[in-house]
Amino acid sequence: MKKLRILTNGILRENPILVLVLGTCPFMAVTTQASNAIGMGAAVTFVLLCSNMLISLLRRAISEKVRIPCYIVVIASFVTLVQMIVQAFLQDLNDALGIYLPLIVVNCIILGRAEMFAGKNGVFDSALDAIGMGVGYTLAMLVMASIREILGSGTWFGMAVPVLADNNISIMVMAPGGFAVFGVLIAVVNKVTKGKAPRKKEFGCMGCPSASVCGGALSCAGDGKEAAAK
């Protein structure tokens, strides 16, 4: 059951887009067509899976003080691989995704899962986490893109939708329409989960590898003792 929970967490309860609200820049930019959403979702899922597994394998060899730069190098390597494949075989998709394909390197979802999960768990669990988060990301992208494409362009995967093809709402493929749909989807997920989705945790100096240099660890320890005394 623990493995199943790790796999399914990212689909709804901890959906990276609609719950954790990470990686929203490409989410808003490329979801004007459903085909773009599938392409971006597949690319992110591949990078997430490969980077999670490799970081999990190397977690004991990576120094705590340089873990973030190491994570970025690993992620950038797989993003470069994906970009080369897309440029070679899927030129139309490459043109559609544009700058947002190489920007997967700094996608908060991938770096966040590397930091919060892959760096602390085994390879198999990290792979399950990556698959779940990737599927959740892709599904959110597909739903968002489908709504915007159908209403805004009157098509779905390039196929004309009766009535809407000649009576589309052009604002839906623009930024205001994107934000409106995004807000509605977040509200729906919040309703389905009954507001029980995990809240963002507070991060202080205690988790920073440079805390010992700037004295932040001592400051946090002091604050913790004061809070406990109160």
Side-chain angles (χ1 to χ4, degrees), residues 107-166:
N107 193 309
C108 297
I109 298 170
I110 300 174
L111 186 58
R113 298 322 294 175
E115 172 72 4
M116 300 302 297
F117 198 94
K120 300 178 178 65
N121 294 274
V123 177
F124 185 67
D125 285 353
S126 297
L128 291 179
D129 177 74
I131 293 171
M133 288 290 168
V135 170
Y137 178 84
T138 305
L139 288 177
M141 292 274 289
L142 180 59
V143 172
M144 175 83 159
S146 295
I147 294 173
R148 295 182 69 188
E149 183 181 358
I150 291 172
L151 297 180
S153 303
T155 60
W156 190 61
F157 282 100
M159 299 179 293
V161 177
V163 181
L164 289 175
D166 299 319

Side-chain angles (χ1 to χ4, degrees), residues 17-34:
I17 290 289
L18 302 178
V19 175
L20 303 181
V21 196
L22 299 174
T24 56
C25 181
F27 179 73
M28 296 295 298
V30 306
T31 51
T32 54
Q33 291 187 342

Side-chain angles (χ1 to χ4, degrees), residues 27-186:
F27 179 73
M28 296 295 298
V30 306
T31 51
T32 54
Q33 291 187 342
S35 57
N36 294 349
I38 294 293
M40 178 60 80
V44 169
T45 302
F46 174 81
V47 174
L48 187 57
L49 177 61
C50 295
S51 60
N52 258 25
M53 293 178 67
L54 184 57
I55 288 170
S56 179
L57 278 171
L58 300 175
R59 70 185 188 280
R60 301 186 190 280
I62 298 175
S63 172
E64 184 71 12
K65 295 182 179 181
V66 295
R67 69 185 191 283
I68 299 301
C70 290
Y71 294 168
I72 293 175
V73 169
V74 170
I75 294 169
S77 300
F78 288 115
V79 171
T80 302
L81 176 61
V82 169
Q83 188 178 9
M84 292 172 65
I85 293 173
V86 172
Q87 287 177 343
F89 301 104
L90 301 167
Q91 189 59 49
D92 290 341
L93 180 62
N94 181 67
D95 295 339
L97 298 182
I99 190 62
Y100 296 101
L101 185 59
L103 281 179
I104 293 175
V105 173
V106 291
N107 193 309
C108 297
I109 298 170
I110 300 174
L111 186 58
R113 298 322 294 175
E115 172 72 4
M116 300 302 297
F117 198 94
K120 300 178 178 65
N121 294 274
V123 177
F124 185 67
D125 285 353
S126 297
L128 291 179
D129 177 74
I131 293 171
M133 288 290 168
V135 170
Y137 178 84
T138 305
L139 288 177
M141 292 274 289
L142 180 59
V143 172
M144 175 83 159
S146 295
I147 294 173
R148 295 182 69 188
E149 183 181 358
I150 291 172
L151 297 180
S153 303
T155 60
W156 190 61
F157 282 100
M159 299 179 293
V161 177
V163 181
L164 289 175
D166 299 319
N167 301 279
N168 53 69
I169 309 170
S170 58
I171 196 173
M172 297 305 293
V173 294
M174 301 178 186
F179 280 109
V181 176
F182 191 23
V184 170
L185 290 178
I186 290 177

